[in-house]
């Protein structure tokens, strides 16, 4: 039976480290959070960011902008925050109104203030192993895996999902640890090869957003399973992996909720401290 890989346990230790770093720097840090329009779906994330920031002594400056704001005006606003010395980092809340192109906008956030680690400059630095701010969810997955004590060198790692925020950066971080990395996606499933790849995984990370996509019986004995997916089924939140079956085979498995989620927001705060140093 697998041990539970719980984000909150690791988050508590990382928060201690962050507090120490902030205290040692003697700086007063500020995270600017920019929301355009009303987005009820992001309220829960905003609340969690504010709570986590304040618990670490970080000022959370919330900027709520009109939904009708043009792309040009939003860029101007971001550039003002870029040049404000009080602002150490900024986060753009999703979703943005349809008339705003996220990719275009995110390129205007100064790379040194990009706490989400998604500016092309920061993504590029991952290739050279020199990124200060890593994409938060990918970094959270790496922390969970580190906690298990496994040495990734030479291990078969299978990542299901190749999104820009999770699967792709995670594959690069795993390569940096000398894992043998297979990245599966919709093409893998359409080719009928998902099960074959998953069965080989010594470390399995799933970030798709489809409940029950990964059958528990596919999980290799002793595998480490990190389920990033969050799906609402009735009144419950579940991941992408069939938990009960997978738990019987894995050595470690993340619960959903309570696995990756609690760490993602801590990674945001760690990135802020890195940006400020
Ligand atoms: P995206 O929708 O951006 O990416 C999903 C990925 O899964 C894509 O690569 C997609 O391929 C692939 N995919 C879709 N269907 C299949 C399939 N049948 N077989 C194999 N691959 C498939 O999602 P995100 O990466 O943003 O998020 C993934 C999940 O993780 C979601 O449930 C999200 O809520 C959760 N999440 C959780 C976080 C946390 O902190 N716990 C943070 C971020 C995300 P293609 O694009 O080619 O269709």
């Amino acid at each position: 039976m697998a041990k539970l890989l719980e984000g909150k346990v690791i988050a508590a230790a990382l928060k201690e480290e962050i507090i120490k770093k902030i205290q040692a720097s003697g700086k007063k840090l500020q995270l600017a959070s920019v929301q355009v329009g009303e987005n009820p779906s992001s309220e829960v994330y905003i609340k969690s960011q504010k709570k986590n920031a304040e618990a670490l002594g970080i000022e959370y400056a919330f900027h709520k902008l009109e939904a009708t704001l043009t792309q040009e005006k939003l860029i101007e606003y971001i550039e003002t925050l870029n040049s404000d010395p009080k602002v150490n980092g900024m986060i753009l809340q999703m979703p943005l109104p349809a008339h705003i192109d996220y990719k275009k906008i995110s390129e205007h956030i100064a790379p040194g203030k990009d706490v989400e680690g998604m500016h092309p400059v920061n993504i590029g630095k991952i290739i050279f192993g020199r990124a200060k701010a890593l994409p938060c969810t990918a970094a959270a997955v790496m922390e969970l895996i580190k906690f298990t004590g496994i040495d990734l060198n030479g291990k078969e790692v299978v990542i299901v999902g190749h999104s820009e925020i999770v699967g792709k950066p995670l594959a690069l971080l795993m390569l940096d640890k000398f894992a043998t990395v297979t990245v599966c996606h919709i093409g893998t499933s359409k080719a009928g090869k998902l099960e074959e790849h998953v069965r080989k995984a010594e470390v399995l990370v799933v970030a798709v957003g489809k409940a029950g996509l990964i059958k528990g019986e596919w999980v290799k004995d002793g595998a480490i399973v990190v389920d990033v997916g969050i799906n609402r089924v009735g009144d419950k939140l579940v991941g992408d992996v069939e938990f009960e079956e997978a738990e019987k085979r894995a050595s470690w498995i993340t619960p959903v909720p309570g696995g990756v989620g609690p760490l993602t927001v801590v990674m945001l705060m760690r990135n802020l401290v890195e940006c400020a140093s």
Side-chain angles (χ1 to χ4, degrees):
M1 193 66 104
K3 284 183 262 185
L4 275 188
L5 197 43
E6 290 181 287
K8 63 173 190 281
V9 177
I10 307 165
L14 288 171
K15 282 183 194 170
E16 291 294 317
E17 275 176 32
I18 294 173
I19 289 173
K20 279 189 195 142
K21 272 197 172 173
I22 297 176
Q23 284 170 348
S25 78
K27 290 182 188 162
K28 176 82 194 140
L29 302 189
Q30 188 191 96
L31 173 61
S33 161
V34 180
Q35 186 182 37
V36 188
E38 290 288 335
N39 300 308
S41 62
S42 52
E43 293 311 318
V44 54
Y45 298 110
I46 293 170
K47 261 196 200 151
S48 158
Q49 289 159 13
K50 185 171 189 302
K51 191 173 142 211
N52 275 274
E54 289 174 354
L56 297 169
I58 294 167
E59 185 187 347
Y60 189 78
F62 188 54
H63 302 256
K64 194 169 179 62
L65 310 177
E66 289 295 319
T68 51
L69 193 78
T70 63
Q71 183 152 299
E72 290 66 34
K73 288 284 174 203
L74 179 57
I75 291 172
E76 274 175 32
Y77 200 91
I78 286 171
E79 284 172 351
T80 311
L81 294 175
N82 282 342
S83 51
D84 183 342
K86 289 196 299 302
V87 177
N88 301 100
M90 84 178 90
I91 175 167
L92 206 49
Q93 301 297 339
M94 294 295 126
L96 289 166
H99 66 278
I100 290 176
D101 175 354
Y102 167 72
K103 282 196 180 153
K104 219 172 221 161
I105 294 293
S106 64
E107 287 180 17
H108 287 270
I109 296 175
K113 293 194 177 185
D114 166 37
V115 287
E116 291 182 277
M118 288 306 297
H119 189 284
V121 166
N122 290 326
I123 293 285
K125 283 185 180 173
I126 299 178
I127 302 236
F128 301 106
R130 284 180 42 223
K132 270 176 128 185
L134 297 171
C136 299
T137 310
V141 172
M142 292 306 284
E143 287 297 333
L144 285 161
I145 291 171
K146 188 172 154 194
F147 183 80
T148 68
I150 192 179
D151 178 2
L152 285 170
N153 195 320
K155 293 291 184 303
E156 288 288 342
V157 172
V158 176
I159 300 169
V160 187
H162 69 156
S163 72
E164 287 157 6
I165 65 161
V166 192
K168 283 182 187 170
L170 187 59
L172 294 174
L173 296 173
M174 294 281 193
L175 279 176
D176 217 35
K177 302 285 179 204
F178 294 93
T180 304
V181 185
T182 302
V183 184
C184 301
H185 40 71
I186 192 75
T188 320
S189 279
K190 283 190 177 157
K193 293 183 177 165
L194 187 61
E195 175 179 350
E196 175 189 327
H197 288 291
V198 169
R199 281 190 183 275
K200 284 191 301 203
E202 294 174 289
V203 176
L204 173 66
V205 183
V206 188
V208 172
K210 286 187 180 158
L213 176 71
I214 306 298
K215 305 294 165 225
E217 61 176 48
W218 298 354
V219 171
K220 190 181 174 77
D221 281 338
I224 294 170
V225 179
V226 178
D227 192 350
V228 183
I230 304 173
N231 310 286
R232 185 163 286 284
V233 175
D235 59 355
K236 274 181 73 185
L237 287 182
V238 299
D240 294 339
V241 180
E242 283 180 351
F243 185 86
E244 272 153 33
E245 251 338 276
E247 189 188 26
K248 294 178 194 159
R249 295 171 167 74
S251 57
W252 290 90
I253 188 166
T254 53
V256 177
V260 182
L263 265 181
T264 306
V265 65
V266 179
M267 295 298 106
L268 193 70
M269 303 305 154
R270 186 170 77 177
N271 282 346
L272 182 81
V273 175
E274 289 303 316
C275 285
S277 67

